[in-house]
């Protein structure tokens, strides 16, 4: 009888985020594997082709897990940090999310767009518009509109404050995210041609998830208003993407 050893768990592969292309011909999913040296998980995107039941790897930089299909069925976009300059910005404490676009039939991934906050969920409304859920820090405004001197000053202050956290809400910690006191998840509308984004939910409303309807005119939103303490139950809202009106259901 062979015993299970502690390091056997590092050999396991875990699958998440399985999502079919709009035409149902392919499915994409993320494969994760423990990386003991980095104390993290390596994640890459894989494809399943329905026609011949073939499975093959799509990305290989060990940092791709969050993705969404585009309407043409041949492309998907995913979050990644690939440019050395972007890695340097991230190490300095700057918050942003960069998306790359890749053709599933071959070719290199190309930079698609970037927003100055951490995106946790993305869905395509149409060819020019996307619905994002992103982290919002009321006391830490985005740095995109600041000049280099002011940006460097704020980043220096953030590095100096890494040794402590000011906790004003409970719960103040979440697994896989760290400290969450004062942080909100908001819905944003992103317009690709103009590279602009607009928050669609209030600063004190924390969004857990959002789901588009079939014609992508509305989104069902699971969220709750937070004031000092997060409640156990969420509320259900309906977001009209034409008027940006949010209605409690």
């Amino acid at each position: 009888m062979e015993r299970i050893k502690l390091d056997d768990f590092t050999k396991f592969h875990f699958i998440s985020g399985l999502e079919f292309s709009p035409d149902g011909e392919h499915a994409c999913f993320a494969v994760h594997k423990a990386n003991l040296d980095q104390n993290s998980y390596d994640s890459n995107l894989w494809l399943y082709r329905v026609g011949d039941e073939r499975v093959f790897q799509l990305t290989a930089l060990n940092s791709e897990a969050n993705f969404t299909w585009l309407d043409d069925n041949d492309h998907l976009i995913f979050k990644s940090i690939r440019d050395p300059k972007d890695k340097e910005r991230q190490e300095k404490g700057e918050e942003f999310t960069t998306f790359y676009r890749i053709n599933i039939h071959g070719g290199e991934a190309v930079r698609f767009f970037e927003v100055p906050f951490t995106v946790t969920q993305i869905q395509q409304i149409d060819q020019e518009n996307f619905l994002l859920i992103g982290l919002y820090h009321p006391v830490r405004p985005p740095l995109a509109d600041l000049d280099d001197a002011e940006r460097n000053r704020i980043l220096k202050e953030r590095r100096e404050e890494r040794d402590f956290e000011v906790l004003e809400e409970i719960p103040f910690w979440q697994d896989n995210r760290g400290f969450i006191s004062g942080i909100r998840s908001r819905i944003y509308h992103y317009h690709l041609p103009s590279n602009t984004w607009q928050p669609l939910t209030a600063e004190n409303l924390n969004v857990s998830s959002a789901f588009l309807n079939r014609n992508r005119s509305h989104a069902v939103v699971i969220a709750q208003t937070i004031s000092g303490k997060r409640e156990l139950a969420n509320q259900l809202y309906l977001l009209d993407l034409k008027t940006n009106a949010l209605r409690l259901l």
Side-chain angles (χ1 to χ4, degrees):
M1 180 177 179
E2 187 175 351
R3 295 184 178 181
I4 297 178
K5 300 178 181 179
L6 183 60
D7 62 353
D8 284 346
F9 292 98
T10 66
K11 304 172 185 176
F12 293 167
H13 291 76
F14 306 91
I15 293 176
S16 70
L18 178 67
E19 183 179 337
F20 275 91
S21 58
D23 62 5
E25 294 298 323
H26 294 84
C28 185
F29 54 93
V31 176
H32 316 274
K33 186 177 183 297
N35 185 326
L36 289 184
D37 293 335
Q38 299 294 328
N39 191 28
S40 63
Y41 282 90
D42 293 337
S43 301
N44 290 291
L45 299 181
W46 285 65
L47 278 177
Y48 169 70
R49 191 160 58 200
V50 177
D52 56 6
E53 298 186 347
R54 180 190 170 199
V55 177
F56 56 95
Q57 189 169 345
L58 186 64
T59 66
L61 291 186
N62 298 328
S63 61
E64 293 87 22
N66 189 302
F67 71 92
T68 192
W69 285 94
L70 297 183
D71 278 343
D72 61 8
N73 297 300
D74 295 326
H75 294 84
L76 52 82
I77 59 175
F78 58 90
K79 296 196 308 183
S80 186
I81 299 293
R82 298 190 163 205
D83 190 320
K85 293 182 179 179
D86 290 339
K87 293 180 180 179
E88 183 179 350
R89 291 165 57 198
Q90 188 181 57
E91 291 171 355
K92 289 182 178 180
E94 188 172 345
E95 294 180 34
F96 61 95
T97 301
T98 305
F99 284 94
Y100 283 78
R101 180 173 178 262
I102 191 170
N103 190 313
I104 64 172
H105 303 294
E108 293 292 328
V110 295
R111 195 183 186 98
F112 196 47
F113 69 85
E114 176 187 311
V115 291
F117 49 85
T118 299
V119 176
T120 59
Q121 182 181 336
I122 179 171
Q123 298 179 70
Q124 184 182 24
I125 301 173
D126 54 40
Q127 292 185 351
E128 296 185 348
N129 299 279
F130 292 83
L131 191 73
L132 311 178
I133 296 181
L135 300 185
Y136 173 74
H137 304 256
V139 297
R140 296 177 64 175
L143 305 178
D145 298 330
L146 304 179
D147 57 38
D148 291 341
E150 184 67 10
R151 184 184 299 109
N152 291 333
R153 183 188 67 79
I154 293 178
L155 288 175
K156 181 181 178 181
E157 290 180 354
R158 292 181 182 178
R159 288 194 296 271
E160 293 173 348
E161 295 173 354
R162 283 180 176 177
D163 293 334
F164 66 91
E165 291 283 343
V166 178
L167 306 176
E168 299 178 325
E169 296 178 344
I170 55 173
F172 54 82
W173 176 273
Q174 181 175 322
D175 289 343
N176 202 36
R177 280 186 55 185
F179 290 104
I180 59 173
S181 175
I183 301 176
R184 303 288 182 265
S185 291
R186 302 179 72 181
I187 293 181
Y188 294 83
H189 168 259
Y190 176 78
H191 185 241
L192 182 62
S194 63
N195 189 35
T196 57
W197 50 90
Q198 173 190 3
L200 302 183
T201 53
E203 294 184 6
N204 63 339
L205 187 70
N206 188 66
V207 176
S208 298
S209 54
F211 305 91
L212 292 173
N213 63 346
R214 289 186 177 181
N215 63 8
R216 304 181 188 185
S217 62
H218 294 76
V220 173
V221 179
I222 299 174
Q224 70 168 254
T225 300
I226 299 178
S227 178
K229 183 183 71 171
R230 300 183 185 226
E231 301 297 333
L232 295 178
N234 291 306
Q235 290 80 45
L236 194 64
Y237 295 84
L238 185 66
L239 175 63
D240 188 325
L241 296 177
K242 294 182 179 180
T243 65
N244 294 337
L246 188 67
R247 179 165 62 91
L248 177 64
L249 298 178

